[in-house]
């Protein structure tokens, strides 16, 4: 018989609504089937990687068999089976078979651009983490529903009766919130962020479990915890065995090779935790008859009774009776498991154990529903995993895993790197940076200099001296546009924002109420620090080249692995460099590029030909460019000692003598702005550069520009000063790196014996000072990896002060509040004196911290001031560490005095579990005993010691009591290790937010009040905003017009630019000929840099010969 087809050609959203309505109607008789179907559908259809099957030709089939059962009695009733078969056809339509009828919904996805569907719906982090994320959300909502329904009516009354303990709850939760606040709202992924979530959940629950009030509200924490840990161990064991079997099937070829991708162990552990929490919540609120029978009359508190009598609103009264809705759900959706006669033989043996005994066995009518619930969740996990790996993943991804991931990333969004975490305690890049810096300073500076090698290699080649360093192919143009930027290669979002602006054929920005059209520069000058934190193949490729390649693509024929032997390597059909009409790029190295002795710079800049779509003719690390109308650019390499070497000086001196005319104008480009840094540090550097400017250029240097400081500032010479001195000093290091302050340098007014005034600053001085406040508010959020350093330091400072045994004087009930405070701080003082006099570990740690703090203070200030600042800094940290130590000890002491801790040894939770095991977790079939026998006693032993390891407060309190009675000498090394480990687990959570707050406050005070730590105080903020570059225009009359363009806010989310994707492109067409050259645009149109760019500075520099004529006439124009 032909299946009935509904709407084969004109299906629409209305048809889908009808289908869902019919499905809901058919499921009302037994909601369990619908709930299970919906749950599996969510798990399968929310897999972002499986969404790609909408476009592929393979058919993915989902089959669900649901067994409907009526209300169980001692006699088994009839069961019936329903099949739902849903699949996506190769045309992108959705079809379902229900009881033999076929329903086609072919119009839903016919007109959808599947590239956009994948872009919108695919999650940030690939399989398998999105399912854990969705499961966690579902379990959290379920927990809130069940707990609130049972306990909302008694909450106010319990708050009134337990103010002291609820205050302790508030303090405890406050510390835990501040610890976990940097990770709130972030997607769960296998990282420190995910570890912190589970770590917080563990020790928070372990602490709350011992506090009162939950038991009085009807929540038996001991029952939930013991059940959770038991199910957790079982789940891990079962899932590990399952994954091993699945991998074995993959190994022998019974499943697709792509399906054999190994799951991460963290995902298995996370899924087991979620599954265990779900079982605990359900069992304690629905399935635990032993507990529910005791919960007889529910009495409303006075407030709720008053609201109930007044009947202020219908919805409020319904809300107050939420537990009635919960009871109905438990009865209808989660009915107890019936007799064994309704199940096949395997289920009888596994669940009921009918065939486990020798001889006739009595079939149990009902068992504890926890077993079937756990088996259901485990089965759902396994079924979903198999379906994804065998159909949804394997059939729709015929490519290898690596190629599939690469294709997905290419389709979805740019894989930019985050800003460098400069205060990370775990970053291998930062440790490598420190090591490379030490090696470079020790070996390369003054001993082996790559600049000397470049000069020597040029001398070997006959006639190569001028060719390698001087480029004059642009000098014959009538006019020229060129750009300058510096300090890129930090965060991908900020670097790409600047690169996108540089790549646009034209930019439109408002200046003095007039719209300016600024064409793309024919030349791009980059002032060093190409990648952070250190030069390596990874940082250059990911942080520097990738944003520029996305902004302006390299030629299609060019390969990334290509090494340029003879530069310039011109495109086909171009015979010489002056004929090339595309943008070009010249780069000087910065101090970060010199950390490896310039090796990476030479490989990626001097021996590669393309930076995205910018041609790089450059052969050496320094160069001279002859531009139109008598303008020159000298790109100097200052290395690590802020000056040019003798060979570089000789080259430029000879060039000035032979090539630079008396009326020419020169722009000197360096990485470091010596004029600002010398003023700040009260030092004199760059003597060779100064001598070159004064004695050789003799007034022809019109502009000095540099990067290194990640802001924009321009200082201009006062009109009354010597006209032969440098006219403008410009700093623009906003190419992509973190922001630097401007208010620290606002008082600069003199350099090289000439007075200057500040003409422009970006960000403005007032904004810069305000931004520094973020160190107090956001230091830990931006630098959560600093936890590894800060928490360890605080623990070392207080290591010898644990435990504090004599705290009775602080807890005296008849004392006044002021008396409590005096006792508290007197105990702090006693602990401090003990640390100085008797503690070796803590006093040594404090001394080392003092040395580090004094060394951390910039050498700009005197030794006496450095000592004072460092001492105050250490005292703040030491005081906070001691206060936290005493607060933690007081909390443990209060719990011990109220018999909440240290009552029955290390295995308190396990002993309680064994005593009430038969009451709360009935096992009429003896399944528990069989598992113990099968595992040779390993299963109960694992549960026992897992419960002890989980109950950290009990272990800490028991050991602390033993130490206070018998002394530290009574502990073995293992016992002492266990005690201090348990103390560290909690003290780390309490201390890390505080150490970040104090350190951030220190940076704020130093940067705003003392103008110290301008680098450290702003690198901590990792600010990607406030990015800029400078665009120059050599006009036909010889004037140099300068525009500085800036973007205040950098986008964080990007999407594929449809105009770039749909633009018609000819084969082998250069990317600079495209109207839309950049691949990605901001998600929000109003946030795209092209639409938000603005001009923050605009001025004109006259050439040397015209300035000399003006000076002769008695006036100077700037």
């Amino acid at each position: 018989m032909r299946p009935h087809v509904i709407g084969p050609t004109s299906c629409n959203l209305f048809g889908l609504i009808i289908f869902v309505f019919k499905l809901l109607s058919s499921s009302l008789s037994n909601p369990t089937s619908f709930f299970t179907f919906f749950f599996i559908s969510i798990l399968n259809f929310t897999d972002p990687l499986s969404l790609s099957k909408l476009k592929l030709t393979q058919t993915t089939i989902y089959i669900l068999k649901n067994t409907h059962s009526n209300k169980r009695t001692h006699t088994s009733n009839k069961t019936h089976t329903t099949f739902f078969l849903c699949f996506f056809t190769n045309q992108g339509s959705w079809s379902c078979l229900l009881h033999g009828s076929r329903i086609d919904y072919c119009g839903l996805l016919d007109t959808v651009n599947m590239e956009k569907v994948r872009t919108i719906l695919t999650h940030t982090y690939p399989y398998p983490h999105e399912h854990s994320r969705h499961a966690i959300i579902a379990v959290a909502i379920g927990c809130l529903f069940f707990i609130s329904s049972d306990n909302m009516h008694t909450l106010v009354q319990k708050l009134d009766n337990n103010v002291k303990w609820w205050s302790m709850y508030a303090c405890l939760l406050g510390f835990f919130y501040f610890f976990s606040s940097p990770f709130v709202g972030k997607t769960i992924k296998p990282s420190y962020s995910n570890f912190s979530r589970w770590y917080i959940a563990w020790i928070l629950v372990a602490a709350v479990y011992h506090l009162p009030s939950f038991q009085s509200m009807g929540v038996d924490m001991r029952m939930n915890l013991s059940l959770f840990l038991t199910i957790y161990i079982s789940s891990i064991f079962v899932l590990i065995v399952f994954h091993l079997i699945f991998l074995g099937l993959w190994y022998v070829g019974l499943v697709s090779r792509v399906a054999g991708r190994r799951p991460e162990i963290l995902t298995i552990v996370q899924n087991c935790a979620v599954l265990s929490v779900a079982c605990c919540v359900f069992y304690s609120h629905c399935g635990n008859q032993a507990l529910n029978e005791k919960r007889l009359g529910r009495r409303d508190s006075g407030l709720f009774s008053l609201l109930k009598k007044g009947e202020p609103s219908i919805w409020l009264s319904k809300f107050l009776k939420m537990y009635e809705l919960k009871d109905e759900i438990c009865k209808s959706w989660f009915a107890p498991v019936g007799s064994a006669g309704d199940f096949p033989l395997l289920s009888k043996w596994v669940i009921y154990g009918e065939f486990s005994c020798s001889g006739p066995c009595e079939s149990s009518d009902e068992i504890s529903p926890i077993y079937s619930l756990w088996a259901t969740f485990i089965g759902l996990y396994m079924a979903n995993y198999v379906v994804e790996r065998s159909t949804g993943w394997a059939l729709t991804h015929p490519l290898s895993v690596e190629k599939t991931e690469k294709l997905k990333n290419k389709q979805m969004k740019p894989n930019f790197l985050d800003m460098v975490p400069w205060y990370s305690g775990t970053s291998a890049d930062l440790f490598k940076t420190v090591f490379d810096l030490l090696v470079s300073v020790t070996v390369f500076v003054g001993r082996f200099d790559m600049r000397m090698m470049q000069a020597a290699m040029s001398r070997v080649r006959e006639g190569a001296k001028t060719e390698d360093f001087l480029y004059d192919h642009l000098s014959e143009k009538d006019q020229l546009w060129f750009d300058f930027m510096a300090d890129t290669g930090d965060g991908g979002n900020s670097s790409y924002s600047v690169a996108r602006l540089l790549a646009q054929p034209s930019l439109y920005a408002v200046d003095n109420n007039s719209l300016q059209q600024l064409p793309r520069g024919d030349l791009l000058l980059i002032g060093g620090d190409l990648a952070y934190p250190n030069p390596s193949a990874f940082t250059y490729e990911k942080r520097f080249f990738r944003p520029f390649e996305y902004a302006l693509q390299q030629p299609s024929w060019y390969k990334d692995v290509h090494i340029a032997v003879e530069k310039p390597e011109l495109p086909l059909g171009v015979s010489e460099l002056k004929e090339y009409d595309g943008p070009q790029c010249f780069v000087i190295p910065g101090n970060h590029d010199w950390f490896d002795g310039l090796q990476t710079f030479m490989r990626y800049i001097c021996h590669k030909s393309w930076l995205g779509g910018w041609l790089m003719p450059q052969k050496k690390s320094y160069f001279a460019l002859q531009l139109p109308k008598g303008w020159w650019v000298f790109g100097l390499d200052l290395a690590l000692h802020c000056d040019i070497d003798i060979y570089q000086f000789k080259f430029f001196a000879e060039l000035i003598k032979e090539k630079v005319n008396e009326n020419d104008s020169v722009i000197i480009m360096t990485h470091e702005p010596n004029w600002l840094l010398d003023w700040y540090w009260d030092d004199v550097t760059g003597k060779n550069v100064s001598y070159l400017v004064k004695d050789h250029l003799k007034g022809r240097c019109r502009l000095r520009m540099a990067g290194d400081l990640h802001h924009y500032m321009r200082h201009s010479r006062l009109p009354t000063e010597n006209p032969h001195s440098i006219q403008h000093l410009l700093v623009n290091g906003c190419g992509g790196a973190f922001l630097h302050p401007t208010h620290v340098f606002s008082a600069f007014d003199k350099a090289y014996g000439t007075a200057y005034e500040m003409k422009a600053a970006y960000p403005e001085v007032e904004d810069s000072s305000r931004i520094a406040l973020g160190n107090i508010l956001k230091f830990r959020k931006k630098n959560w990896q600093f936890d590894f350093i800060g928490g360890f330091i605080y623990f070392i400072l207080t290591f010898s002060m644990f435990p504090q045994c004599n705290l009775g004087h602080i807890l005296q009930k008849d004392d006044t509040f002021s008396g409590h405070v005096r006792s508290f701080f007197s105990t702090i003082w006693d602990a401090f004196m003990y640390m100085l006099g008797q503690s070796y570990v803590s006093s040594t740690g404090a001394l080392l911290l003092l040395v580090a703090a004094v060394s951390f203070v910039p050498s700009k200030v005197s030794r006496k001031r450095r000592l004072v600042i460092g001492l105050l800094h250490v005292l703040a940290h030491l005081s906070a560490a001691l206060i936290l130590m005493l607060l933690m000890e007081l909390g443990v002491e209060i719990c011990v005095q109220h018999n909440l801790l240290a009552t029955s040894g290390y295995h308190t939770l396990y002993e309680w579990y064994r005593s009430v095991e038969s009451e709360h977790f009935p096992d009429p079939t003896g399944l528990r005993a069989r598992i113990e026998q099968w595992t040779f006693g390993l299963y109960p032993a694992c549960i026992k010691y897992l419960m002890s390891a989980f109950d950290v407060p009990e272990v800490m309190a028991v050991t602390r009591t033993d130490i206070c009675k018998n002394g530290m000498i009574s502990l073995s090394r293992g016992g002492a290790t266990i005690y201090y480990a348990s103390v560290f687990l909690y003290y780390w959570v309490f201390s890390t937010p505080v150490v970040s707050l104090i350190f951030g406050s220190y940076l704020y005070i130093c940067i705003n009040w003392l103008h110290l730590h301008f680098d450290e105080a702003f690198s901590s903020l990792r600010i990607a905003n406030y990015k800029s570059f400078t665009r120059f225009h050599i006009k036909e009359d010889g004037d140099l017009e300068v525009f500085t363009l800036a973007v205040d806010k950098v986008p964080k989310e990007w999407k594929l630019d449809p105009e770039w994707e749909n633009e018609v492109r000819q084969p082998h067409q250069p990317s600079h000929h495209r109207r839309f050259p950049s691949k990605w645009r901001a998600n929000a149109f109003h946030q795209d840099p092209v639409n938000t760019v603005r001009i923050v500075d605009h001025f004109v520099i006259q050439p040397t010969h015209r300035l000399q004529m003006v000076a002769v006439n008695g006036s100077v124009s700037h």
Side-chain angles (χ1 to χ4, degrees):
M1 183 176 178
R2 183 180 177 182
H4 178 60
V5 179
I6 299 178
T9 58
S10 60
C11 304
N12 52 20
L13 184 60
F14 180 71
L16 178 61
I17 296 174
I18 294 177
F19 169 71
V20 174
F21 177 77
K22 293 177 67 177
L23 177 62
L24 288 171
S25 301
S26 63
S27 302
L28 290 178
S29 60
N30 193 331
T32 306
S33 61
F34 168 71
F35 176 77
T36 310
F37 169 73
F38 179 75
F39 184 72
I40 290 186
S41 301
I42 290 296
L43 287 181
N44 283 309
F45 296 136
T46 53
D47 178 12
L49 296 181
S50 297
L51 287 174
S52 58
K53 60 180 169 287
L54 295 172
K55 189 176 181 181
L56 300 178
T57 58
Q58 290 86 351
T59 300
T60 303
I61 302 176
Y62 296 86
I63 302 178
L64 175 65
K65 180 179 179 181
N66 288 326
T67 302
H68 291 243
S69 302
N70 295 326
K71 191 172 183 180
R72 298 290 184 183
T73 60
H74 290 284
T75 305
S76 173
N77 295 329
K78 294 182 179 180
T79 61
H80 58 278
T81 302
T82 302
F83 288 93
F84 296 97
L85 189 151
C86 299
F87 58 91
F88 291 100
T89 64
N90 54 0
Q91 288 84 17
S93 61
W94 179 32
S95 296
C96 289
L97 290 179
L98 174 61
H99 289 292
S101 298
R102 179 179 174 186
I103 307 173
D104 284 347
Y105 300 99
C106 53
L108 290 176
L109 300 172
D110 288 343
T111 60
V112 177
N113 186 333
M114 295 315 302
E115 298 291 339
K116 294 182 178 179
V117 170
R118 282 198 292 272
T119 301
I120 296 172
L121 297 181
T122 299
H123 197 262
T124 306
Y125 302 100
Y127 177 87
H129 307 293
E130 64 275 356
H131 285 181
S132 300
R133 174 174 171 266
H134 297 156
I136 288 174
I137 295 174
V139 169
I141 294 175
C143 292
L144 292 175
F145 170 74
F146 281 119
I147 295 175
S148 62
S149 64
D150 273 351
N151 305 308
M152 186 64 71
H153 63 289
T154 61
L155 181 60
V156 173
Q157 180 182 9
K158 301 307 177 183
L159 281 173
D160 294 338
N161 298 334
N162 299 278
V163 175
K164 177 179 67 175
W165 294 109
W166 285 109
S167 300
M168 186 173 292
Y169 276 115
C171 295
L172 188 65
L173 293 175
F175 274 108
F176 278 79
Y177 169 75
F178 285 119
F179 178 83
S180 58
S181 58
F183 320 116
V184 174
K186 292 188 177 180
T187 305
I188 291 181
K189 60 179 180 178
S191 65
Y192 177 70
S193 173
N194 195 24
F195 161 77
S196 296
R197 285 184 174 94
W198 292 111
Y199 174 75
I200 284 295
W202 165 32
I203 60 176
L204 177 60
V205 173
V208 170
Y209 148 65
H210 288 281
L211 297 179
S213 298
F214 270 95
Q215 186 71 29
S216 61
M217 281 181 12
V219 180
D220 194 341
M221 292 292 293
R222 292 179 299 178
M223 186 271 292
N224 282 280
L225 286 177
S226 55
L227 177 61
F228 170 83
L229 296 174
T230 305
I231 297 177
Y232 186 66
I233 287 292
S234 305
S235 303
I236 289 181
F237 174 76
V238 171
L239 290 187
I240 288 179
V241 172
F242 162 72
H243 284 294
L244 290 176
I245 294 175
F246 196 82
L247 288 176
L249 295 177
W250 163 79
Y251 183 76
V252 298
L254 296 181
V255 296
S256 171
R257 63 182 179 86
V258 183
R261 182 184 179 190
R262 292 178 297 176
E264 297 190 24
I265 189 65
L266 182 61
T267 305
I268 298 177
V269 172
Q270 179 172 285
N271 288 330
C272 290
V274 174
L275 185 149
S276 303
V277 170
C279 289
C280 291
V281 172
F282 159 72
Y283 188 64
S284 61
H285 292 276
C286 284
N288 190 358
Q289 299 298 326
L291 183 62
N292 290 340
E293 289 175 359
K294 295 179 181 179
R295 198 182 303 157
L296 298 176
R298 286 189 175 125
R299 301 178 62 185
D300 295 326
S301 64
L303 176 61
F304 281 116
S305 300
L306 180 62
L307 292 176
K308 191 173 181 180
K309 291 177 182 179
E311 294 292 341
S313 62
I314 298 177
W315 69 267
L316 182 58
S317 60
K318 291 183 177 180
F319 177 76
L320 297 178
K321 293 186 177 182
M322 190 185 298
Y323 60 88
E324 296 180 1
L325 174 62
K326 188 271 300 183
D327 291 338
E328 292 297 327
I329 293 176
C330 289
K331 291 178 181 178
S332 58
W333 284 15
F334 301 105
V337 180
S339 62
D342 297 329
F343 295 89
L345 296 179
L346 181 62
S347 299
K348 292 180 182 180
W349 176 71
V350 173
I351 300 179
Y352 291 87
E354 281 196 359
F355 301 149
S356 62
C357 56
S358 57
C361 298
E362 295 184 2
S363 176
S364 173
D365 293 332
E366 289 187 358
I367 67 170
S368 174
I370 192 63
Y371 294 122
S372 59
L373 179 68
W374 173 75
T376 301
F377 286 154
I378 286 289
L380 287 175
Y381 174 89
M382 293 180 179
N384 181 67
Y385 186 88
V386 173
V387 166
E388 282 184 339
R389 297 304 179 100
S390 301
T391 58
W393 172 270
L395 296 181
T396 61
H397 294 77
L399 301 177
S400 64
V401 175
E402 292 78 12
K403 291 183 179 179
T404 301
E405 292 292 337
K406 184 177 181 180
L407 180 62
K408 177 194 169 186
N409 291 333
K410 183 178 179 181
Q411 291 176 343
M412 296 310 306
K413 68 173 187 177
N415 46 349
F416 291 145
L417 298 179
D418 293 333
M419 305 288 287
V420 174
W422 294 99
Y423 286 87
S424 171
T426 61
S427 175
D429 281 340
L430 295 181
F431 290 109
K432 182 179 183 300
T433 302
V434 175
F435 176 78
D436 288 344
L437 179 59
L438 294 176
V439 173
S440 298
V441 172
T442 305
V443 177
F444 294 104
V445 176
R447 292 171 176 81
F448 177 80
D449 197 327
M450 182 60 72
R451 298 172 300 181
M452 299 170 58
M453 180 64 70
Q454 295 178 76
M457 294 300 295
S458 297
R459 286 171 175 261
V460 172
R461 296 174 51 199
E462 182 179 356
K465 179 179 179 181
T466 304
E467 176 187 345
D468 287 351
F469 299 101
L470 175 61
Y471 301 87
D472 58 358
H473 57 285
L474 300 172
S475 59
E476 299 178 1
K477 291 180 175 290
D478 294 332
Q479 60 178 344
L480 180 70
W481 290 84
F482 65 97
D483 299 324
F484 170 76
M485 65 170 295
D487 300 276
T488 183
D490 192 349
N493 293 323
S494 54
S495 298
Y496 177 73
S497 296
V498 177
R500 173 169 167 80
L501 294 175
L502 293 169
Q504 298 306 304
S506 292
L507 292 176
Y508 297 88
V510 177
D511 180 35
N512 294 329
N513 298 324
S514 63
L515 186 63
Q516 295 277 358
Q517 180 181 2
L518 309 177
R520 177 174 54 212
D522 298 317
L523 174 67
L524 173 60
L525 303 174
I526 302 181
D529 278 1
L530 308 183
Y532 294 90
N534 59 70
S536 65
F538 176 82
T539 56
Y540 264 57
E541 291 173 3
K542 304 299 183 182
R543 295 189 180 275
F544 178 53
F545 276 84
R546 176 178 291 171
F548 282 87
E549 289 170 355
Y550 281 147
L552 192 65
Q553 284 71 45
Q554 61 192 20
S556 57
W557 48 265
Y558 185 75
K559 298 181 179 180
D560 294 336
V561 296
H562 177 73
I563 298 177
V565 179
E566 292 292 335
K567 297 181 72 173
E569 294 183 336
L570 300 172
L572 187 65
V574 180
S575 58
E576 56 182 349
L577 190 57
K578 64 173 58 179
E579 297 178 1
Y580 179 68
D581 63 345
Q584 303 171 35
C585 180
F586 287 82
V587 187
I588 60 172
N591 56 310
H592 283 265
D593 304 306
W594 267 95
F595 284 175
D596 65 345
L598 213 63
Q599 178 183 0
T600 307
F601 180 91
M602 296 297 294
R603 175 185 174 187
Y604 280 88
I605 302 301
C606 299
H607 293 288
K608 284 188 177 293
S609 295
W610 295 93
L611 173 63
W614 285 269
L615 176 66
M616 294 191 298
Q618 178 180 347
K619 301 177 183 179
K620 306 298 178 183
S621 65
Y622 54 93
F623 53 85
L625 290 170
Q626 186 176 3
L627 304 181
K629 309 301 179 182
W631 284 93
W632 292 76
V633 172
F634 289 176
L636 308 184
D637 181 3
L638 302 184
L640 290 174
H641 43 53
C642 307
D643 205 355
I644 59 176
D645 62 306
I646 190 62
Y647 297 99
Q648 195 174 173
F649 178 87
K650 184 177 181 181
F651 163 75
F652 284 108
E654 293 178 355
L655 179 67
I656 293 171
K657 181 179 179 180
E658 298 174 2
K659 298 286 187 177
V660 180
N661 297 325
E662 292 295 330
N663 293 329
D664 286 352
S665 304
V666 177
I667 302 172
I668 291 185
M669 178 176 69
T670 59
H671 173 63
E672 294 187 355
N674 304 83
W675 57 94
L676 272 183
L677 295 178
D678 287 352
W679 168 84
Y680 179 83
W681 295 108
D682 194 18
D683 195 6
V684 178
T685 61
K687 295 180 180 179
N688 291 341
V689 178
S690 299
Y691 183 71
L692 183 71
V693 172
K694 286 184 178 181
D695 288 43
H696 290 267
L697 287 176
K698 298 178 180 178
R700 285 172 285 183
C701 180
R702 313 298 303 126
L703 171 68
R704 282 199 63 179
M705 59 184 184
D708 193 46
L709 296 178
H710 310 160
H711 58 225
Y712 175 77
M713 295 191 79
R714 175 172 67 92
H715 293 84
S716 298
R717 184 186 64 208
L718 293 177
T720 58
E721 293 294 320
N722 181 7
H724 296 289
S725 58
I726 303 174
Q727 187 177 1
H728 297 280
L729 303 173
L730 184 148
V731 180
N732 193 346
C734 301
F738 64 88
L739 185 67
H740 270 144
T742 55
H743 66 278
V744 175
F745 303 94
S746 59
F748 168 80
D749 60 356
K750 194 170 186 179
Y752 311 118
T754 304
Y756 290 86
E757 62 177 341
M758 186 177 68
K759 291 293 187 178
Y762 180 77
E764 295 183 357
V765 173
E766 295 78 9
D767 294 335
S768 174
S769 180
R770 175 182 50 82
I771 292 171
L773 184 62
N775 276 292
I776 299 178
L777 306 176
K778 301 179 181 179
F779 179 87
R780 186 166 180 272
K781 184 176 182 180
K782 299 286 187 179
N783 305 276
W784 49 265
Q785 292 164 309
F786 188 69
D787 290 352
F788 292 93
I789 300 176
F792 181 75
I793 290 176
Y794 269 37
F795 182 69
I796 292 297
L797 292 177
T798 58
F799 176 83
S800 302
M801 267 68 78
F802 286 103
Q804 294 287 315
C805 297
N806 301 318
L807 300 178
H809 61 288
I810 303 179
L811 302 176
Q812 292 178 359
K813 296 182 179 180
D814 55 348
D815 201 355
T816 61
F817 177 77
S818 59
H820 286 302
V821 173
R822 284 194 300 269
S823 300
F824 181 86
F825 284 102
S826 66
T827 306
I828 293 291
W829 177 256
D830 293 339
F832 175 72
M833 298 306 296
Y834 173 82
M835 181 195 71
L836 295 181
Q838 302 183 41
S839 170
Y840 296 103
V841 176
S842 298
S843 58
T844 302
L847 181 61
L848 293 177
L849 181 62
L850 178 61
V851 173
V854 173
S855 303
F856 185 66
V857 179
S859 58
K860 171 181 181 176
V861 299
S862 63
R863 292 184 179 179
K864 184 177 180 180
R865 292 188 64 188
R866 292 178 65 187
L867 180 61
V868 172
I869 294 173
L871 182 60
L872 293 176
H873 188 192
V874 171
L875 287 177
H877 284 295
L878 186 57
S879 301
L882 293 175
I883 291 174
L884 290 174
M885 177 273 301
L886 189 55
L887 287 175
M888 180 174 166
E889 285 291 287
L890 284 174
V892 175
E893 181 67 22
I894 292 174
C895 291
V896 171
Q897 291 183 4
H898 286 78
N899 295 322
L900 299 174
L901 285 174
T903 55
S904 56
Y906 293 110
H907 304 291
T908 304
L909 183 60
Y910 181 73
E911 292 173 0
W912 178 90
Y913 167 73
R914 296 292 292 180
S915 65
V916 299
E917 188 176 28
S918 59
E919 177 186 2
H920 286 281
F921 318 119
D923 183 21
T925 64
L927 180 62
R928 210 162 26 237
R930 293 198 300 274
I931 295 177
E932 182 177 350
Q933 181 182 1
W934 293 340
T935 59
F936 303 98
L938 183 63
Y939 175 73
C942 289
I943 294 177
K944 178 179 180 179
Y945 288 100
L946 178 63
M947 288 184 178
S948 299
F950 179 86
D951 197 0
V952 177
E954 185 70 18
V955 174
M956 178 171 53
V958 170
T959 312
R960 177 181 180 274
T961 303
D962 188 24
I963 295 174
C964 291
K965 288 181 179 180
N966 305 316
M968 184 65 70
I969 196 173
S970 63
L971 285 184
S972 62
R973 291 185 178 179
T977 302
I978 292 174
Y979 171 70
Y980 284 112
S982 62
V983 170
F984 177 75
L985 289 175
Y986 279 93
Y987 191 74
W988 187 44
V989 175
F990 297 154
S991 61
T992 47
V994 177
V995 66
S996 297
L997 177 64
I998 293 178
F999 188 73
S1001 301
Y1002 164 80
L1003 292 178
Y1004 170 76
I1005 293 173
C1006 287
I1007 190 64
N1008 270 15
W1009 296 0
L1010 306 177
H1011 286 183
L1012 300 176
H1013 294 300
F1014 72 88
D1015 202 9
E1016 296 84 354
F1018 269 64
S1019 63
S1020 63
L1021 298 176
R1022 302 169 65 187
I1023 297 175
N1025 298 325
Y1026 300 101
K1027 293 296 165 275
S1028 68
F1029 69 95
T1030 301
R1031 178 156 290 178
F1032 299 87
H1033 180 207
I1034 301 178
K1035 304 168 71 173
E1036 294 183 359
D1037 60 0
D1039 286 349
L1040 180 65
E1041 192 173 15
V1042 185
F1043 303 88
T1044 296
L1045 298 100
V1047 174
D1048 296 336
K1049 188 173 180 60
V1050 169
K1052 296 181 180 179
E1053 298 293 335
W1054 305 88
K1055 64 180 181 181
L1056 191 66
D1057 190 346
E1059 294 175 321
W1060 176 88
E1061 185 181 19
N1062 299 326
E1063 182 179 359
V1064 179
R1065 183 178 181 182
Q1066 301 298 327
H1068 304 292
Q1069 177 187 6
S1071 57
H1072 62 269
H1073 287 166
R1074 300 188 62 171
R1075 183 182 176 187
F1076 304 99
S1078 300
K1079 183 176 182 179
W1080 311 103
R1081 61 174 300 173
N1083 271 358
F1085 178 81
H1086 63 279
Q1087 294 180 353
D1088 195 273
V1090 176
N1091 302 319
T1092 60
V1093 64
R1094 64 188 182 94
I1095 298 174
V1096 296
D1097 192 19
H1098 178 203
F1099 63 101
V1100 176
I1101 306 177
Q1102 295 181 343
T1104 302
H1105 66 88
R1106 190 179 304 171
L1107 189 64
Q1108 291 175 348
M1109 294 175 57
V1110 173
V1112 170
N1113 295 330
S1115 62
V1116 180
S1117 174
H1118 294 275

